[in-house]
Amino acid sequence: MPAARRLAPPDGWSAGAGLVALAVLAPLAALALAASRGEAGHWAHLLDFVLPAAIRTTAILLTGVGLLAVALGTTTAWLVTAYDFRGRRVLDWALLLPLAVPTYIIAYAYLDILHPVGPLQTALRALLGYDSPRDFRLPDIRSMTGCIVLLGFVLYPYVYLTTRAMFLMQAANLMDVARTLGVGRRALFWRVALPLARPAVAVGASLALMEALNDIGASEFLGVRTLTVSIYTTWVTRSDLAGAAQIALAMLVIIVGLVVFERAARRQRRYANDAQQPRPLTPYRLRGAAGAAAFALGAVPVAVGFLVPSAYLVHAAIVRLRFAGLSSNIVTEAAATVAWSLAATVVTVVLGVVVVYAARLNRGWWPEVCGRIAALGYAVPGTVLAIGLLPVVTGLDHAIDAAATRVFGVSTGLLLLGSGAALLYAYVVRFMAVASGGIESGFSRISPSLDDAARTMGETAGQRLRRIHLPLMRPALATAALLVFVDCMKELPATLLLRPIGFETLATHLYGEAIRGTYEDAAIAALLIVIVGLIPVLVLARVGHTRGLAP
Amino acid sequence: MITLFPSRLSRAVLCAAAVCLATPAAAQELNLYTTREPGLVQPFIDAFTKETGVKVNSIFVRDGLAERVAAEGTRSPADILMTVDFGELILLVDRGLTQPVQSSTLAQAIPAHLRGDKGDWFALSLRARVLYADKDLGISAFTYEQLADPQWKGKVCIRSGQHPYNTALVAAYLARHGEARTEAWLRGLKANLARKATGGDRDVARDIMGGICDIGIANSYYVGLMRSGAGGPDQQKWGAAIKVILPTFEGGGTQVNVSGASVARHAPNRAAAVRFLEYLVSDAAQKIYAEANFEYPVKAGAAVHPIIAALGTLKVDTLSLAEIARHRAAASRLIDKVGLDE
């Protein structure tokens, strides 16, 4: 019977996964087409003068950000799951807060704070008795080190989020065994918890690295010329779309290679729990100075990644409000930001479930391949993806208009582009990997034996999903939804290019100000982005607290 | 989902669709695509709507304006394409995304070298690429060539070489001095940098105040935005920390760039579009360019803002904008080659 099922013809789930894959492939195909139209002549220039430096810069940046994000994410996750101390419950969710701060905002904020004429160095000079910044200055933050530190401190929550969930629900039994064998707490982390959490660390780290790789805001602002910035320059300054598409696709191939490599290295291991409810790890109580030290340790990333830049934004926003008042559009922009991000989140998570579930149903290689393809949108810089989406969306628009005119005698104009549907499409393609990554790790913790049991009782695939999987992976779904929402809200390049006329989000407003160097005008919009981003973070924190977390 | 849209937004969305449905003749609306920051464009839109009753829907697209309009093709709702850089404007013309306009109002207001022969582009305002220097520095004149002088080693601040403002400056240098001299000049400039070539033009003033550098290259209008207090009290301090020199090329004048606009090839509201362009060169609008944006008005005889006038008399370099635009891609490649932004 199971063998017969495996050979069954493609069903609704596989077809759905196929459609999602197609939707993601379409803009990539458009890019490939654009790339094929270019000449190869400029590659000599790129190879001689651009790519070596850009690749080196990118490699250093990714190594640095990866190490920092994994170090911060895993240690803080271990801290709040393996230990109990005063303030742990607050840290539990507060460690997520930097997610709400877009990279471009943190870069602006820290340059202002740390600039020689900014508050910190001015105070420092007063303290040390120097009159002029010419006599005493701290190193400039506009550097590779500055970029790594700032990106690391806003991107570590991706690792924290996935790893904490793993620590909470997976390791308890094994760790209890290890403990009875006399393994100390620290060794437990290195030898049991961390190796077990590897899929979660890999998912979190790859999300953080993709963000770092595709970042233009902070990197460009801090003077770090990554591959993404080079692609952007090639396209914009030299009007060479074909060249930019070629580099972007080459980069995509490398990323896909790395992802495949990581998966292959992980393939031989299984990480799923037994069907039995796993026991959560019993946290070790820290009292007095030890407890205070633990809290301080966990508070550092929250302070650097969230509290300091937010306090700065609040200050700047108040100055701005006194100076120029509140723009009447900002409420509209905030509402638009929330509405579109919410819609995109719902669509992305639903489609993400379809894609991942189709692969789990295990009906041949095809749904699995679709799942991998669906995640590709995240590996392409947002600007480039937007350019790839443009011909796809307008192509559909032209076809719809022509058909409507012929059949009904009514012109629809540019329906998708004009209605904002193109924007939804862009968000879904761009952030599908964020959703499917979380959903996949949710599914992976549900033992296949549960599926088999349900199947023998005659439940269909849809019933199993509704009655077993979805309830068991509510926390994973919530996590995926949070990440997608926050990403949509911060998204800039695709929003700029594909939005309808007269439509602004907080991010585009902020960018419009920032681009002419009037960051201070943008302080209110920046603060609103952070505040709106806080809402889902807090919701997620509540979900986490119900301890419905463990499947 | 629709009920979630705030009313303004849903109207805007419906407008976008409705605009395409509307016949051009009945249009009392105008669709503006701009690479210029919304904050700098809004004063003109408000004044134009007040004067004519024509409603302006705008979208700010920084990069990919040409790609978007090209993809929208014959169904594009775009009427006016406005850019902040001359190179971008010429690109739109070269890609066939604009259409010619014959208007005696425009021809009279804009000098011939600041508009296309066929009426396919029009410059609307000018700005100069000037030198910011520490206010205590004993210099009173400067040439762009001097930026490479070893005297300034570790003392120069500038934004990314690949930013259109700097690519235009390098393109002008290239058109004037040829490739070998430009490359040597860029290498000299690179050696003189005090920090990474990044940030914005105002950061040059702030970094001079912060003691990071002594001189730097930036746009003229930021001086007005900083010194007038329009950018807040902090920026007023930055503006006060510098003095401004209008540099020239050796044996030439000061490098300028323009903001400009064209009527889109498939403009559904062509008449309103021409009317908008004509409005932008009216005395009232040119006054906004000077007073709100601190730019040099394109119209002969229109007054500049006192803060800008105080910088000295602008002697515009004679090299044509079209000639500079032709060297833009080569300039960008040279900037890569010397690794100015590394």
Side-chain angles (χ1 to χ4, degrees), chain A residues 20 340-354 424-425 427-429 432 435 439 484, chain B residues 1:
Chain A
V20 175
W340 250 260
S341 304
L342 209 57
T345 304
V346 171
V347 176
T348 311
V349 170
V350 168
L351 293 181
V353 168
V354 170
L424 274 188
Y425 181 17
Y427 291 160
V428 171
V429 171
M432 179 57 75
I439 294 167
V484 174
Chain B
M1 208 62 222

Side-chain angles (χ1 to χ4, degrees), chain A residues 320-371:
Chain A
R320 195 64 204 162
L321 275 174
R322 285 217 189 108
F323 179 70
L326 188 64
S327 152
S328 59
N329 294 334
I330 205 131
V331 178
T332 319
E333 290 162 5
T337 307
V338 172
W340 250 260
S341 304
L342 209 57
T345 304
V346 171
V347 176
T348 311
V349 170
V350 168
L351 293 181
V353 168
V354 170
V355 166
V356 177
Y357 192 52
R360 185 179 176 96
L361 287 174
N362 204 13
R363 287 169 180 156
W365 56 272
W366 137 264
E368 172 131 17
V369 170
C370 289

Side-chain angles (χ1 to χ4, degrees), chain A residues 50 112 115 133-134 137 142 220-221 223 232 235 237-238 323 398 401 411 497 499 502 511 516 518 520, chain B residues 21 58 60 62-63 67-68 71-72 75 134 162 196 198 202 206-207 210-211 214 229 235 332 336:
Chain A
V50 180
D112 266 14
H115 195 274
R134 285 178 192 270
R137 273 202 320 273
R142 285 163 290 193
E220 194 189 19
F221 187 74
Y232 180 77
W235 167 43
T237 315
R238 292 203 281 280
F323 179 70
H398 289 305
D401 188 37
S411 166
L497 191 63
R499 71 199 199 283
Y511 185 68
R516 60 181 170 126
T518 49
E520 64 291 336
Chain B
L21 298 170
S58 69
F60 161 61
R62 186 190 169 192
D63 311 309
E67 275 83 4
R68 173 149 176 177
E72 289 179 341
R75 293 180 176 86
D134 187 295
Q162 296 292 3
K196 286 199 174 246
T198 185
R202 270 184 259 213
R206 173 160 68 161
D207 287 348
D214 284 349
Q235 293 191 11
S332 168
D336 271 349

Side-chain angles (χ1 to χ4, degrees), chain B residues 10-51:
Chain B
S10 60
R11 244 186 293 137
V13 170
L14 290 175
C15 274
V19 157
C20 312
L21 298 170
T23 51
Q28 275 307 302
E29 297 208 11
L30 175 68
N31 297 313
L32 169 69
Y33 285 33
T34 170
T35 68
R36 181 148 241 219
E37 308 78 352
L40 291 178
V41 179
Q42 202 57 43
F44 300 98
I45 292 178
D46 293 343
F48 177 69
T49 303
K50 204 171 155 197
E51 195 181 298

Side-chain angles (χ1 to χ4, degrees), chain A residues 84-169:
Chain A
D84 194 13
F85 47 88
R86 191 183 281 271
R88 183 191 66 85
R89 283 183 156 267
V90 176
L91 275 188
D92 212 26
W93 57 265
L95 279 162
L96 292 172
L97 292 177
L99 271 186
V101 187
T103 55
Y104 45 91
I105 291 182
I106 203 164
Y108 295 149
Y110 271 102
L111 179 60
D112 266 14
I113 296 168
L114 299 177
H115 195 274
V117 299
L120 185 87
Q121 294 209 45
T122 305
L124 212 54
R125 280 197 304 276
L127 204 66
L128 300 175
Y130 290 104
D131 291 335
S132 155
R134 285 178 192 270
D135 304 325
F136 172 80
R137 273 202 320 273
L138 296 178
D140 205 319
I141 188 175
R142 285 163 290 193
S143 62
M144 174 63 87
T145 315
C147 195
I148 287 175
V149 171
L150 291 187
L151 286 180
F153 272 92
V154 286
L155 296 179
Y156 81 84
Y158 287 102
V159 181
Y160 168 75
L161 197 56
T162 49
T163 315
R164 184 192 64 154
M166 210 65 153
F167 285 161
L168 270 177
M169 67 190 62

Side-chain angles (χ1 to χ4, degrees), chain B residues 21-321:
Chain B
L21 298 170
T23 51
Q28 275 307 302
E29 297 208 11
L30 175 68
N31 297 313
L32 169 69
Y33 285 33
T34 170
T35 68
R36 181 148 241 219
E37 308 78 352
L40 291 178
V41 179
Q42 202 57 43
F44 300 98
I45 292 178
D46 293 343
F48 177 69
T49 303
K50 204 171 155 197
E51 195 181 298
T52 62
V54 177
K55 184 169 176 291
V56 181
N57 311 303
S58 69
I59 178 168
F60 161 61
V61 181
R62 186 190 169 192
D63 311 309
L65 175 67
E67 275 83 4
R68 173 149 176 177
V69 178
E72 289 179 341
T74 52
R75 293 180 176 86
S76 175
D79 293 306
I80 293 273
L81 309 176
M82 184 182 266
T83 74
V84 71
D85 167 68
F86 180 71
E88 291 171 2
L89 195 55
I90 280 295
L91 181 74
L92 295 172
V93 175
D94 289 347
R95 291 191 59 173
L97 300 171
T98 61
Q99 61 171 298
V101 168
Q102 308 310 330
S103 153
S104 56
T105 310
L106 290 170
Q108 274 163 27
I110 307 171
H113 68 280
L114 291 174
R115 55 185 155 85
D117 299 337
K118 302 190 194 72
D120 40 15
W121 62 271
F122 300 93
L124 300 166
S125 65
L126 288 89
R127 59 195 183 255
R129 204 85 185 121
V130 303
L131 185 84
Y132 294 178
D134 187 295
K135 66 177 189 317
D136 299 325
L137 212 60
I139 55 168
S140 55
F142 200 80
T143 65
Y144 295 111
E145 286 81 356
Q146 281 177 290
L147 281 171
D149 190 330
Q151 166 192 3
W152 302 109
K153 193 164 182 60
K155 296 195 158 89
V156 178
C157 279
I158 194 163
R159 75 188 308 160
S160 164
Q162 296 292 3
H163 189 278
Y165 299 164
N166 282 339
T167 335
L169 175 63
V170 177
Y173 202 101
L174 191 57
R176 178 172 286 276
H177 292 307
E179 186 162 334
R181 269 190 74 183
T182 307
E183 187 180 330
W185 175 68
L186 282 171
R187 288 195 192 282
L189 171 59
K190 162 85 184 156
N192 284 348
L193 290 183
R195 58 150 162 85
K196 286 199 174 246
T198 185
D201 277 358
R202 270 184 259 213
D203 288 321
V204 172
R206 173 160 68 161
D207 287 348
I208 289 174
M209 183 181 170
I212 294 171
C213 42
D214 284 349
I215 59 171
I217 291 289
N219 277 350
S220 53
Y221 55 82
Y222 289 115
V223 181
L225 287 169
M226 290 188 290
R227 287 187 177 166
S228 67
D234 277 350
Q235 293 191 11
Q236 228 162 349
K237 286 184 219 149
W238 309 347
I242 57 167
K243 65 173 165 188
V244 180
I245 294 169
L246 299 182
T248 58
F249 286 106
E250 275 167 14
T254 303
Q255 197 253 327
V256 297
N257 202 334
V258 305
S259 78
S262 298
V263 174
R265 169 97 179 268
H266 303 289
N269 310 296
R270 189 179 188 276
V274 174
R275 207 165 158 199
F276 186 61
L277 284 184
E278 289 174 349
Y279 165 76
L280 290 176
V281 296
S282 68
D283 291 339
Q286 288 288 302
K287 197 172 154 155
I288 300 179
Y289 275 116
E291 292 190 350
N293 293 2
F294 302 94
E295 292 173 278
Y296 294 97
V298 75
K299 195 174 191 172
V304 297
H305 191 281
I307 294 179
I308 301 301
L311 302 182
T313 311
L314 177 69
K315 183 188 160 204
V316 178
D317 192 57
T318 48
L319 204 65
S320 83
L321 291 170

